[in-house]
Each structure stands twice: as structure tokens, then as C-alpha cells.
Amino acid sequence: MIRLFHFKNIPENKRYYRIIGCVLTAAVLILIIVGQVCPPYSPTEMNTADKFAGASIYHIFGTDNFGRDVFSRVIAGAGTTLLIAAGTVLIGLAGGIVIGSIAGYFGGPADEILMRINDTIYAFPSILLALIIVSLFGSGTVNLIWALGIAFIPSFTRLVRGEFLRCRQSDFVLRAKLEGAGALRIIFFEILPNTVPVLVSSALIGFNNAVLAEAGLSYLGIGVQPPAPSLGRMLSEAQGYLVKAPLYSLGPGLMIILMILGFSLLGEGLSTDSDAGKFF
């Protein structure tokens, strides 16, 4: 039996978190969509005559050292970051669900073997593990998504396993077993739907970590490669012009903050604890 999360019992402060998070996230998404459909300027268009132009109605954040419009590059780079973060979370969540559900539901030797391997990988910081993978297979958007996705699998695996351990002896699971339900049906139709509230809030937190990881790797020059815009790469390029063109670094930095803040508040608003909500 699938139990649905009852949002009416969420504390009032979490309602405000959800509202503010939705507003910030929606604003970022609208900017990204507008930037993809009809950007003010091409993010790769150079105009050496307008190098380091100040803020104006034509260039909200001014221009960079190649005369490119910073605002257009920021919203294009935010779209790239969003794509990478979404792909990272999807890969990490999919891998975590498969491994965590097997370990948590069946237990025994399968649990021991899978979790020992998982703990070994989990011992490495995600950024360091992604750095190793990118170094082996090369930089670029696709390789970066796979590298970060694989690095995020251990965290989701531990989360899913914990939820399956909590639910596998529940009444609705025992009832399904008495009715003759197989393991796959119990995993995917009985237990997994009841982990959705926890997985959603955790996925939003994972999204923030993925945004920071992508920005960090691109800042180091091993993530998204030029001429494609990247928020982390823009911050790296802008650090040499902090005095001459402060808006150059302000634009990508502000976008990263808005993305992380919006999804953080949204995740906090959707998170659950022992008294935050009930199931029926």
C-alpha cells in the first residue's frame, strides 16, 4: 500500500521555506529558459571594442576581457550547470536506488558485500573521486556528468538502504508477502514509493552539492571547456580582473548563490522529521 505524504502537518516555517525556495528557483529557471530561447547576446560573441564595459541598459553586468556580454554568459552558464547537476543527481539516485534497495531489502551477504564496496568508495571525498574519474576519461560536459554521478552514488546508496531497512518489516510489506507478492513488486511498488519524501529532499540537497562540484571542477579548468560558458570557469577567469571589472565575478557568483539558496530552501521545506508530517 502506497502511503502519501501529508503536507498539511508541516510546520509553518517550512511552508515559508517552500514558498521562498519556489520563487527563487522559478526565477532562476525563467532566466535560464529565456537565455536559451532568446538571449540578449550570443554568449560566445566577442567585441574587442567593448572590453570591460561597465553596467548599462545594454550590458547589465558589463562585458568581459573579450567584450562578451557577461549577463548572457551567466544565464547560458547557469543552464549548463543546471544540466550537469540534474544529470549528476539522476545518475547518483538511480545507482543508489538499485544498490541500496538490494542491500537493504535482502540483507545478509549481499548487504555486506555491497556496503563494504560502497563504504570504500564513500571514504573518498566526492570532488576528489570525480577529479580522478575526469583525469582518467578526460574533461567535457558528458564526462563531467558521469564522473559526478558516479561519485554521488555512495551517498544515495546509504540513504536508500536505511529507508529499506526501516520499511522492510512494516505491516504493509508483511501483508504484501502474505499475499504472495514477489521481491521486485515489494521493492518497487511497496517500499520505494514510501521513500519518495526523503529522496526528494535529499535529491535537492544533492543538486546543491552537484552545482558546487561542477563550479569547483570548472574553476580548476577540468570541467566545461571553452568556448562553452560555465559559472565556475567564469569565476576563474574573473579573479584576475576583480578591481578592473568587479561585475565580471559578481554575475556568476550571484547566480550560483541564487541556485543553491533556492534549492536549499525548497529542500528544507520538503524535508521531514518525526513530527513534521504523517502518512495515511
Side-chain angles (χ1 to χ4, degrees):
M1 180 180 68
I2 299 176
R3 300 177 295 175
L4 301 177
F5 187 64
H6 192 10
F7 286 110
K8 292 183 179 180
N9 292 325
I10 291 182
E12 192 65 25
N13 63 325
K14 293 198 174 186
R15 294 178 184 272
Y16 294 131
Y17 291 155
R18 288 209 314 276
I19 293 173
I20 298 174
C22 284
V23 171
L24 290 177
T25 302
V28 170
L29 291 177
I30 289 173
L31 281 175
I32 291 174
I33 293 172
V34 170
Q36 298 297 319
V37 176
C38 52
Y41 299 91
S42 170
T44 58
E45 180 183 354
M46 300 183 185
N47 185 355
T48 55
D50 285 337
K51 289 196 304 182
F52 298 120
S56 65
I57 58 174
Y58 301 104
H59 303 288
I60 298 176
F61 288 127
T63 60
D64 63 9
N65 53 316
F66 291 105
R68 298 171 298 192
D69 181 60
V70 173
F71 180 70
S72 298
R73 290 181 60 77
V74 165
I75 55 180
T80 302
T81 298
L82 181 69
L83 174 64
I84 293 174
T88 297
V89 171
L90 286 176
I91 293 173
L93 192 58
I97 288 175
V98 172
I99 300 173
S101 60
I102 294 174
Y105 181 77
F106 293 104
D111 183 27
E112 285 295 323
I113 294 173
L114 289 174
M115 293 313 297
R116 294 298 76 77
I117 296 174
N118 188 80
D119 290 343
T120 301
I121 299 175
Y122 189 75
F124 291 90
S126 299
I127 295 292
L128 179 59
L129 184 59
L131 185 61
I132 295 173
I133 296 174
V134 170
S135 299
L136 290 175
F137 296 100
S139 58
T141 302
V142 176
N143 287 340
L144 184 60
I145 291 175
W146 279 105
L148 291 175
I150 293 172
F152 276 46
I153 288 177
S155 299
F156 285 113
T157 296
R158 291 166 64 94
L159 174 69
V160 173
R161 175 181 177 269
E163 288 298 300
F164 269 72
L165 289 175
R166 179 180 63 84
C167 293
R168 69 179 182 180
Q169 297 300 325
S170 300
D171 292 340
F172 64 92
V173 173
L174 297 176
R175 183 164 53 250
K177 289 182 178 180
L178 291 174
E179 293 173 353
L184 290 178
R185 176 186 167 187
I186 293 175
I187 289 173
F188 290 102
F189 294 97
E190 300 293 340
I191 301 179
L192 190 58
N194 290 284
T195 67
V196 168
V198 174
L199 291 180
V200 168
S201 59
S202 299
L204 291 172
I205 296 174
F207 183 91
N208 290 336
N209 294 334
V211 169
L212 290 174
E214 184 278 328
L217 291 177
S218 295
Y219 180 88
L220 295 174
I222 57 176
V224 179
Q225 297 300 303
S230 166
L231 298 179
R233 187 84 181 191
M234 290 179 67
L235 285 175
S236 176
E237 294 171 350
Q239 68 178 354
Y241 308 103
L242 291 177
V243 177
K244 190 173 184 179
L247 290 178
Y248 191 2
S249 59
L250 178 63
L254 183 61
M255 179 59 75
I256 291 175
I257 291 173
L258 289 177
M259 292 178 71
I260 292 176
L261 184 60
F263 280 96
S264 294
L265 291 175
L266 194 56
E268 179 65 23
L270 294 175
S271 64
T272 63
D273 51 47
S274 57
D275 299 318
K278 295 181 178 179
F279 294 89
F280 55 60

